[in-house]
Amino acid sequence: MGAPGNRAARPAFGAGFRRALRFCAVPMALAFAESGAQAALYHDLCGGDPAAPVSLGSDDQLRQLIQRGSSALTGERATRGDDALQLLGGATRQVGGTPNAPQLVAEYCLTAGQAMRIAREGSGREAKMLLVGAFKRAGEIRDGTLAAQAALQIGLTAVAESAGGAARGVRGAKDDLEAATSAAMQACAPAIGDVMKAEADYFTAAAALDCAGATALAAGDARIAAISNLRLARLSLDYARRDPVVGQILRQDAEERLFTAVDQAMKIAAPDLRAEIALRAVETLLTVKPQDPRVAAALDSLTATTAADPGLEAYRLALAARQAGANGKAAEQKRLLSRAIFLESQRSQPARLATWYLDLAAAEPARRGEYVAAAYRALEAVRPLLPQYDPVTQESTFQLSVRAVFEQAAEYALAGDVKDRAGIDRAQAIIERYRQAELQSVFGSECVAARDPLRPADLAPGEMLLYPVLLPDHVELIYATPGSGGFQRLRAEKGVGRAEVTALVEEMVAATSAGSDTWRASAARLYQILVDPVLRDAPDAKTIIVVPDGPLRSVPFAALTDASGQFLIERARVVTAPALGYAEPGRPFARSEPSVLALALSKEVDLPAGIFPKLDGTIDEAKAAAGTRGVLVQDFRKADLEQALEGRRIDILHISTHASFNGRADRAFIVGNGEAIRLSELRDLVSDNQVRGEELNLLVLGACETAVGDDQASMGLAGAAVQAGAQSAVASLWQVNDLGTVRLMRAFYDNLRAGQSKAEALRAAQLSLIHAGPEFANPNIWSAFILLGGWR
């Protein structure tokens, strides 16, 4: 079907993108986290009784396995973790006989735990089980370096889980692993103190990193001691910004740890690694104690080490420039930065060049535009080559160095006249690249190819694109309608920037997801800031396609209210897209009765990822989806899905089960009967159906907290729709009661079968609940459900 503007319509998450997904797929034979035999081997060898007579062949065989696995881990392949697991999985579990040497068992558990932590098909929980086993066995043989390595890996695993969230709905016996992990780390690291025990997200990671640092110090391993203290300091500073109650304590602790990290880094034998880690610690110190003379002394002491490496010398000079600026030495700051930029430019991959240009922009405000533009060009030249995670601290490269460049480039591009069409187009192009880069940072650039964005000319009458852009001191609204002749912009009220909007989002989402009545003020204020200005300018908009910025991804836009208390959904259809490259209109169903495959899980399931409790309303929800002509599979397994898709034309795939879209996107999964089915598997099954000329029109993810209402999870949800290869997806931002879910889904599918578009079908279903009386009118029930991607 042709789209307006004579541009052929293409699916929102469709064919061109699936080719990239095929490239980044990992063979499912590597998914040892779900392999019962492999899980039993790992548990018995690493998680069971150390004295149990379980072995993996002879000591020589085990030593060779460890060497091969370790070699794979040091490679540069994106699948190195999976490669290592495959090699380590070549062992044969033997019960009885002579146990392997304790040293080898500890090394095997450590290597397998490291691989499980980074593998695309790995599991954070399985990684912790393996690593705790390695840590305990290292303690028994008094190998401090090995114990420190295991504790560091436990800390990095816990940091990733606290940042992205574990699978929701988990409870029961698997929580014993969390308790055991925390207990082991706390016993090793009492310095964390009782004050932080209540901060569960922070505590296990902090205790493990503290343990790693202390154990490495005792063992004389300067590298692990430096990295552990650096990572813990950065974690503490991040948490201090989010929790002012304990912020001062954490900042003071972080300062001490950063100086410890510098001291230990100076003892590392390898000069490049010595300089890299020491400079990382100094860079963080400059954010908390820029005028401390010990910082200058550390930079001076590295002069001889960095002199032979242009990149490291540029790093040292740029940090010296930051300290000069903090001490009011503007001329010295600019001189040092200019030299740093020159040296960094000589490198074949000048990864930090963009950052040094941003520093120069701050140092020379009169030439800020020139330098910000240079930073943006420098970033775009190297961004495809940047690793997804920083090799030293394992933090997101996007968060560390990429986001700031995009934000400043967008901010400067929007600094001109609001009527300057060329400036608006430049800003929109930067923001679109920003949104796509953010999605790539979650999935990896090899999995998310850049795409041409939807254009204003492709819009049909009544449709509007809306880009809210959160800047430090104000909000920009970039929008387009069919007759606008391109993108336009409005500047929301002054004095309301990212921090203020983020606070309103947190207030509204917390209240709405909990079913509280305190959402009204924040919902009205967000409407006033984000929606009212553009609707006053484009009052005929009946379908609003929102490309949300950061925290706005967790906002139920449908529940925002105008001055009269009317919900936005009562005025217009609302659609969400992660970027305009993934905001294609989609197409209507080819038949009046779409073909539906509905899968439901109601029973409790015990998996390596946790125990997922019984779900009471999923069968009724799936029945509503299947109707009288669809296919319903209860308590499904992957084999049931394969069989149901085989030879059958499917328009809609409805899945009612637990799901995890938090944390690493390549580990997103849905829960089947006795197994976790990764989104990559679901994608491949759907794609196999698409190869025959069929295309999945709609993916519906029902049941338990599929997106949970936080920024990272919501990005994961958008990516899940992309991964599954569907044109559109419907899912919930938080858990909704069974009665409300079933009622909304029944209305939604009735509307689809009546010929309504996907956006109108969801809107009409939500309106039916709003008008059904107080039992269903609360936005806690109906506004949780959002439509991503194609809306027609």
Side-chain angles (χ1 to χ4, degrees):
M1 178 178 178
N6 297 319
R7 180 172 181 244
R10 54 191 169 89
F13 305 132
F17 188 70
R18 289 195 303 275
R19 288 193 291 272
L21 290 176
R22 286 289 193 181
F23 172 76
C24 72
V26 177
M28 290 314 299
L30 303 183
F32 289 136
E34 269 98 53
S35 165
Q38 194 69 21
L41 183 154
Y42 286 152
H43 183 272
D44 290 347
L45 192 68
C46 304
D49 182 358
V54 176
S55 65
L56 298 182
S58 69
D59 283 355
D60 285 342
Q61 291 172 323
L62 183 55
R63 189 176 290 108
Q64 290 174 8
L65 279 177
I66 296 168
Q67 290 172 349
R68 289 198 292 267
S70 298
S71 178
L73 282 174
T74 58
E76 296 184 357
R77 283 166 51 91
T79 58
R80 64 187 185 279
D82 303 278
D83 295 341
L85 284 181
Q86 187 177 39
L87 291 166
L88 292 167
T92 302
R93 177 171 175 264
Q94 299 177 6
V95 180
T98 304
N100 293 119
Q103 179 75 32
L104 291 175
V105 173
E107 291 176 7
Y108 180 88
C109 296
L110 173 63
T111 307
Q114 288 178 285
M116 188 69 75
R117 182 180 71 79
I118 67 172
R120 293 184 174 192
E121 301 297 342
S123 159
R125 281 178 171 265
E126 291 290 275
K128 281 192 284 189
M129 183 274 292
L130 291 162
L131 294 166
V132 169
F135 176 79
K136 291 180 177 179
R137 283 154 179 76
E140 291 162 4
I141 60 176
R142 300 184 182 279
D143 188 328
T145 295
L146 199 152
Q149 288 177 313
L152 173 58
Q153 294 295 319
I154 292 169
L156 294 174
T157 305
V159 168
E161 290 188 342
S162 67
R168 298 308 198 248
V170 181
R171 65 164 178 80
K174 291 298 186 295
D175 287 338
D176 293 344
L177 172 62
E178 302 301 322
T181 303
S182 294
M185 295 301 97
Q186 181 187 355
C188 170
I192 293 299
D194 291 341
V195 68
M196 293 308 302
K197 285 183 181 179
E199 310 295 341
D201 285 348
Y202 171 90
F203 180 74
T204 299
L209 292 170
D210 185 49
C211 172
T215 306
L217 277 173
D221 192 314
R223 181 185 67 86
I224 296 178
I227 292 175
S228 301
N229 278 283
L230 169 61
R231 190 64 190 89
L232 178 51
R234 292 183 60 81
L235 175 66
S236 296
L237 290 172
D238 180 62
Y239 205 92
R241 286 187 286 269
R242 293 182 284 138
D243 190 340
V245 175
V246 295
Q248 185 60 34
I249 297 173
L250 293 178
R251 278 189 289 272
Q252 291 175 351
D253 182 71
E255 291 170 10
E256 295 175 7
R257 291 184 184 281
L258 287 168
F259 283 115
T260 299
V262 172
D263 292 341
Q264 290 301 307
M266 294 299 190
K267 299 175 184 178
I268 297 173
D272 288 356
L273 187 60
R274 179 197 317 147
E276 182 70 32
I277 296 176
L279 289 170
R280 294 295 188 89
V282 169
E283 182 176 12
T284 308
L285 272 168
L286 284 167
T287 66
V288 290
K289 293 185 77 70
Q291 297 176 315
D292 194 303
R294 290 175 292 176
V295 175
L299 289 170
D300 289 343
S301 68
L302 287 166
T303 303
T305 305
T306 61
D309 186 309
L312 290 173
E313 177 64 1
Y315 195 2
R316 187 187 70 81
L317 291 172
L319 297 185
R322 288 183 182 179
Q323 187 172 57
N327 287 301
K329 301 177 181 178
E332 179 74 358
Q333 178 186 19
K334 287 184 279 188
R335 183 186 69 80
L336 291 169
L337 280 172
S338 296
R339 179 62 180 168
I341 287 171
F342 172 77
L343 290 173
E344 184 71 11
S345 299
Q346 309 308 304
R347 301 178 65 208
S348 59
Q349 186 177 323
R352 292 188 172 103
L353 184 59
T355 301
W356 306 152
Y357 270 123
L358 286 188
D359 283 3
L360 193 55
E364 293 193 59
R367 301 178 66 183
R368 180 170 180 260
E370 173 189 345
Y371 293 136
V372 168
Y376 181 68
R377 291 193 300 270
L379 172 65
E380 288 299 270
V382 300
R383 186 165 60 84
L385 306 174
L386 297 177
Q388 191 173 359
Y389 297 100
D390 179 79
V392 174
T393 64
Q394 297 297 302
E395 294 170 276
S396 163
T397 302
F398 185 87
Q399 301 293 343
L400 283 176
S401 58
V402 175
R403 181 187 294 277
V405 180
F406 274 115
E407 287 182 345
Q408 291 201 36
E411 182 179 1
Y412 187 78
L414 290 167
D417 189 336
V418 295
K419 301 298 183 182
D420 177 11
R421 282 296 181 89
I424 295 171
D425 289 343
R426 284 195 300 272
Q428 187 277 326
I430 291 171
I431 296 164
E432 174 63 20
R433 283 181 175 269
Y434 180 9
R435 298 289 180 268
Q436 293 200 29
E438 195 166 20
L439 196 63
Q440 289 175 330
S441 77
V442 176
F443 286 88
S445 59
E446 75 277 13
C447 296
V448 181
R451 293 182 53 172
D452 293 334
L454 181 73
R455 303 171 305 175
D458 302 315
L459 296 172
E463 294 177 347
M464 180 174 71
L465 294 172
L466 174 60
Y467 261 108
V469 183
L470 305 183
L471 297 175
D473 61 346
H474 70 284
V475 177
E476 291 278 352
L477 301 173
I478 298 179
Y479 66 102
T481 56
S484 62
F487 285 100
Q488 301 182 75
R489 59 181 281 216
L490 289 170
R491 183 169 294 179
E493 61 189 270
K494 293 182 179 180
V496 178
R498 174 177 285 269
E500 292 78 11
V501 172
T502 299
L504 288 169
V505 169
E506 291 173 350
E507 180 182 328
M508 180 188 177
V509 172
T512 312
S513 61
S516 166
D517 284 333
T518 58
W519 54 270
R520 298 179 188 278
S522 52
R525 188 74 177 103
L526 286 170
Y527 185 100
Q528 183 182 26
I529 296 168
L530 303 173
V531 178
D532 187 60
V534 292
L535 286 184
R536 277 191 272 113
D537 196 60
D540 296 331
K542 299 302 179 184
T543 300
I544 303 174
I545 302 101
V546 183
V547 183
D549 183 3
L552 297 180
R553 278 189 286 268
S554 61
V555 172
F557 275 85
L560 301 187
T561 55
D562 65 14
S564 69
Q566 183 184 48
F567 292 113
L568 178 59
I569 199 65
E570 294 181 276
R571 176 166 179 167
R573 310 170 193 95
V574 181
V575 186
T576 301
L580 285 188
Y582 310 102
E584 294 296 331
R587 57 173 171 77
F589 294 105
R591 293 162 293 178
S592 58
E593 179 69 27
S595 174
V596 180
L597 170 60
L599 310 175
L601 179 75
S602 60
K603 63 189 297 184
E604 180 178 283
V605 177
D606 186 352
L607 298 175
I611 293 180
F612 295 84
K614 179 180 178 181
L615 292 168
D616 293 326
T618 53
I619 302 299
D620 289 338
E621 177 189 327
K623 286 179 178 178
T628 58
R629 298 186 182 181
V631 177
L632 171 65
V633 183
Q634 300 184 28
D635 292 331
F636 66 97
R637 298 181 63 86
K638 188 178 79 167
D640 300 321
L641 178 57
E642 292 174 336
Q643 183 178 359
L645 286 170
E646 182 65 32
R648 178 178 281 113
R649 182 172 181 168
I650 298 297
D651 296 311
I652 302 173
L653 177 59
H654 183 108
I655 306 174
S656 297
T657 182
H658 291 288
S660 172
F661 302 128
N662 295 346
R664 286 180 46 172
D666 49 13
R667 292 180 177 175
F669 63 86
I670 59 174
V671 179
N673 184 4
E675 59 188 346
I677 304 173
R678 297 193 185 278
L679 262 294
S680 55
E681 293 180 274
L682 179 62
R683 175 197 66 227
D684 290 343
L685 291 172
V686 170
S687 295
D688 288 343
N689 192 49
Q690 292 166 337
V691 168
R692 297 191 296 269
E694 309 300 334
E695 191 149 51
L696 184 63
N697 197 309
L698 176 63
L699 171 69
V700 180
L701 298 160
C704 184
E705 297 180 90
T706 48
V708 191
D710 64 74
D711 181 20
Q712 181 68 22
S714 300
M715 175 64 81
L717 174 60
V722 172
Q723 272 198 308
Q727 288 188 48
S728 314
V730 170
S732 58
L733 290 168
W734 54 77
Q735 186 176 1
V736 178
N737 73 60
D738 298 330
L739 192 60
T741 299
V742 171
R743 183 160 183 149
L744 183 137
M745 286 298 171
R746 183 175 290 118
F748 174 64
Y749 281 102
D750 286 346
N751 297 336
L752 285 178
R753 293 183 176 108
Q756 293 182 2
S757 69
K758 292 180 277 291
E760 180 57 29
L762 181 59
R763 174 178 181 264
Q766 291 173 320
L767 291 177
S768 71
L769 266 68
I770 292 173
H771 300 140
E775 185 180 3
F776 299 106
N778 193 304
N780 164 261
I781 297 174
W782 56 264
S783 74
F785 294 93
I786 61 172
L787 173 65
L788 296 115
W791 56 90
R792 292 182 186 162

